[in-house]
Amino acid sequence: QAQLVESGGGSVQAAESLKLSCAASGAASTTMYMGWFRQAPGKEREGVATIGTGVKTYADSVEGRFTISRDNTKNTLYLQMSSLKPEDTAMYYCAAGDWFTLEPSRMSFWGQGTQVTVSS
């Protein structure tokens, strides 16, 4: 059974840092690509960052502030978030699939999400 479990969310002040983790198991751990997506209240889910072997891509809004990484030995995905802004407040989801994309509809497996709240 495919499973993705996020952790590391919380409430921080603007300019602070936070690191998210996502543990993958089953079919979700064998996909080519994994990524982070987020959804703020009243907004559509959007791609934040995606990683594959030798490739990474970021949304323009987080480029230079967020870093995605993957430890294949632990089947774990990470998102290091720095210089956080109030507009980064959202539910953050881990996803896995076989497309190198920031398009949520292309991902096959999803976690339950972890909340990130940034206050000014």
Side-chain angles (χ1 to χ4, degrees):
Q1 183 177 357
Q3 190 173 19
L4 296 169
V5 180
E6 302 97 333
S7 62
S11 297
V12 297
Q13 297 288 318
E16 291 185 343
S17 299
L18 205 59
K19 186 173 184 177
L20 306 182
S21 300
C22 172
S25 61
S29 66
T30 63
T31 58
M32 293 180 64
Y33 304 104
M34 294 186 73
W36 289 97
F37 296 76
R38 66 186 182 186
Q39 188 167 18
K43 294 188 177 181
E44 292 186 354
R45 191 169 298 189
E46 63 177 2
V48 174
T50 297
I51 187 170
T53 301
V55 293
K56 301 179 184 180
T57 189
Y58 295 92
D60 290 345
S61 59
V62 306
E63 180 84 54
R65 299 188 298 122
F66 291 8
T67 301
I68 189 171
S69 61
R70 183 176 182 178
D71 186 338
N72 291 325
T73 65
K74 298 180 179 179
N75 290 329
T76 302
L77 179 72
Y78 302 99
L79 185 68
Q80 177 66 53
M81 304 184 292
S82 302
S83 302
L84 282 161
K85 305 175 181 180
E87 50 264 44
D88 293 318
T89 295
M91 184 71 77
Y92 282 71
Y93 297 91
C94 172
D98 293 317
W99 292 84
F100 182 56
T101 182
L102 291 175
E103 172 53 53
S105 65
R106 293 291 192 177
M107 304 306 277
S108 301
F109 305 104
W110 290 88
Q112 294 299 307
T114 185
Q115 178 68 36
V116 173
T117 303
V118 185
S119 55
S120 58

